[in-house]
Structures are given as C-alpha cells and as structure tokens.
Amino acid sequence: MSKILIIDDEKVIRQTLTEIFEYENHQVVGVEDGVKAIELLKKDSFDVVFCDIKMPGMDGIEVLEKSLSFTSIPFIMISGHGSIDTAVECIKKGAFDYIAKPLDLNRILISLRNATEKTKLVNETSILKKKINENSQIIGNSKALTEVLEMVDKVALTDARVLIMGDNGTGKELIARRIHENSARSKAAFVEVNCAAIPSELIESELFGHEKGSFTSAIKQRKGSFEQADGGSLFLDEIGDMSLSAQAKVLRALQENKITRVGSEKSISVNVRIIAATNKNLALEIAQGRFREDLYHRLSVILIKMPKLNERSEDIPLLINYFIEQICRHSGKAIRGISTQAVEYLQAYTWTGNIRELHNVVERLLILCDKEITLDDVKKYIR
C-alpha cells in the first residue's frame, strides 16, 4: 500500500483519482492548490504525488520545483493542455512521468506502479548506504590510528595508487573505503575484489571480463571489475595471493589504462584508481619470486601500514562500547553494560585476530551473558 498525494484544483479529478487508488488499497490525500500541497509535503511523508500543471496561484511546475528542493518523492504531472514541449519541460524539471488528460486508467496505474517501485528502490538504497556507512566507521583516537587517518585524508584528495599493508582484521578495507569516499571519485563505483577468494584460473575473467564462449562456462559476455569500476575505485584485497600471470596483466592495465577481456583482442580504455591491500610481506614474496617487483612499485605510490589492535590498545574501550551498541541494536536486545575490570582485561589481552576477533568476542559475550558483562564472563568465554 502506498500513500498518495493528489494536487488538482478540479474536484472531479481529485475524486476520480481517489476512488481509483483507494480501490487498489492505497491511502490518498487530496488538496486543491499548490500552497497547501507544499505545506503538506513538508510535514508529512508520501510515496507518490500526482500534480496538475494548470492551477490558479501556484502552478504545478512551481510546486514541482519547490518540492524537489527538499524531497525526492516521484512527481507524476497531469494536464488537460498537454503537449510534447510541456512533457519535456516537466521531465527536465525532475518529474518522474507526465500524463495528459483525459486520464487513462491503465496509464495511471502503470505510472503509479513504476513510481512506487522507484520509491522502494530509493528507500532500500538509502538503508543499504546507511548500513555500509555504519559498518565502515573507523573507531579510535589513538596516536597510531590518528597518524594513519591523517595520511589517508591527504591521499584521498589525489588519484595516487595506494597499497595498504597489515595483518588480517586490522581494518584495511575500511581504510580503502574511506579513501574512496573522501575522493573526487566518491559518486562513482567502489568495486572490491578479494584476490585470495577467487581461483587463479578465474581471476583474469573477474578482473578483465570475458566474451561469450571464451571458455566452457562463459555463456554470455561479462564486464570485469576494471570496467565496473570505471570512473571510480578498484580495491584489490589480498593482492599478494594473485597469480603471476594475472599480476602481469594488472601491471599492463596500470601502465596503459587499458584492459582486454578474456577471449577478445579489442582493448578497452578504463579510468580507475587502484587501492590494493595485503597481509603478506611483499618484500619476502618478491625475493622468493612470487610477486612482481615492478607491480609492487606501481601499486605503492603511497604505502599505508595498519597498526595491530594491541598497538592501539587505548582504542579498545571505544571499540567495545561501539560493538555493544551496534550488535544490540541489530539484534533488538537492550543495550547492556560491561564492567571496568572486564574492559581492562580485554585491553590487556593479546588480539591475534585484531579488531575482527574483538568484535566476535563481544558478540559472543552479549549472546551468552544475561546481565552486565563481568570479568568472570570474559575469562570464561573469551576463547
């Protein structure tokens, strides 16, 4: 069920549309002029607006312009004096659709369905972005972390390639996302490829795409990660696990800003910022012939070393409180406390899995403890 606002100075039109939408189980509000409509849109929420163009006082185009300055609700414009020029003007001003009078029932319902689907997608996207932003927060104010973030914020303003090094669970992906979100490319795609999770025989197809029939399971053409990230950022996580043959092709793509799909001879130009990460000692990998030195130098224009959690132990109390609040909110449980002694014990603990391990321990404690988390609880459930 959608909530619909009808703006039309003709009472008959308002009544007709109201009967149609209520028959389809929608909630409907009707007003006869633009001023009332603006006031209503500012204090109430709607899924779709049907707005007449020719009205006394404030016309529909003005209502559309004023409304879109503070809301993203889809506007469907209706008029008995329609023309192609009027329809084009409405769409240019930001209207979702335009319907000429006399109104056609099927046309109205199709437009309504499309508009409500758009509203649903916008809301879902907003929720997903909120979740991503929530999960992408970097918590802490320790000297070690502050130095990293200061470098990140300087680097983000450039197009320089970045190599992030650090143990598993130290937050390398969060740093990569922060670089992208603070860059001029933030409105374009951030594409992540976990080089360790993709079999070596498929990594080239994942990165560069493939043509239909180029190998047994290639049933259709596919764009690779480089093309998907065009104009944005490509995060190559665990690049130290990439095969030497794929490394050679990545090096060529970085040198020429061009890629070639598997099974094709045509070069495709790409504009991508590369952010790479690894938990391996690449100097050792280079010495043992498992990583190309020329690729290392291409990737490490800026080198960022992530501190281990025990190197920023003063951030642990902040992280614990953040995880407790986040986990309780998502699980629907009441937010519970943790004793000072328990926090001090966790602060002194050796975190081999870094922040990821700390998160898992906090979640475990919240599941298994009924009241305030005590020192005894931590000692009992930390392993």
Side-chain angles (χ1 to χ4, degrees), residues 13 43-44 46 58 101 124 155 160 175 305 307 321 373 383:
I13 296 293
K43 65 181 182 182
D44 204 349
F46 294 90
M58 187 185 298
K101 296 177 182 178
E124 288 176 351
V155 170
I175 293 296
K305 179 71 169 69
N321 289 331
I373 299 168
R383 293 187 183 278

Side-chain angles (χ1 to χ4, degrees), residues 88 172-173 189 194 245 276 284-285 307-308 340 345 360 370:
V88 170
K172 298 188 293 294
E173 181 188 347
N194 188 332
S245 62
L284 182 61
E285 296 295 304
K308 297 177 182 179
T340 302
Y345 186 91
N360 291 344
D370 294 326

